[in-house]
C-alpha cells in the first residue's frame, strides 16, 4: 500500500532529518542513511515545486490570453 505524501509532510520529515544531522550525535553509518533519505526528499520537494510553478505559469498565461480550461 503506497501512501500519497503531501509537500508539507515531506518538508516536515526533511526538517527532522536536518535537525538530527545538525546535532551531530548520529553514528556515521546512520548519518549516511539520513543524508541519502534527505537528498531523496529534497529532490522530491524540488520536483513538486517545479511542477507547481509550471502549473501557475500556465494559469497566468491562460488568463492573460483568455484561454479557459474546463
Amino acid at each position: 500500500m503506497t501512501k500519497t505524501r503531501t509537500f508539507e509532510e515531506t518538508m516536515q520529515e526533511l526538517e527532522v532529518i536536518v535537525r538530527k544531522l545538525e546535532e551531530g550525535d548520529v553514528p556515521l553509518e546512520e548519518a549516511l542513511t539520513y543524508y541519502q533519505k534527505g537528498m531523496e526528499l529534497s529532490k522530491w520537494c524540488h520536483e513538486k515545486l517545479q511542477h507547481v510553478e509550471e502549473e501557475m505559469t500556465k494559469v497566468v498565461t491562460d488568463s492573460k490570453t483568455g484561454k479557459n480550461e474546463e
Side-chain angles (χ1 to χ4, degrees):
M1 179 162 99
T2 303
K3 178 184 181 261
T4 302
R5 71 172 75 187
T6 67
F7 181 82
E8 292 78 10
E9 290 169 335
T10 305
M11 283 298 296
Q12 286 176 341
E13 187 176 351
L14 185 54
E15 288 172 6
V16 168
I17 289 171
V18 169
R19 242 187 330 267
K20 286 180 180 183
L21 290 173
E22 286 179 340
E23 289 172 359
D25 294 333
V26 180
L28 183 59
E29 294 81 12
E30 193 174 337
L32 179 58
T33 301
Y34 279 132
Y35 180 79
Q36 290 170 330
K37 180 65 175 179
M39 291 303 295
E40 174 188 311
L41 295 173
S42 177
K43 181 181 178 200
W44 186 91
C45 288
H46 178 73
E47 290 171 353
K48 185 73 165 177
L49 287 173
Q50 277 187 314
H51 176 73
V52 169
E53 183 178 8
E54 290 167 5
E55 289 295 313
M56 291 300 297
T57 300
K58 185 178 183 318
V59 167
V60 169
T61 302
D62 288 351
S63 70
K64 286 182 180 179
T65 62
K67 293 181 181 177
N68 291 324
E69 288 189 33
E70 291 186 32

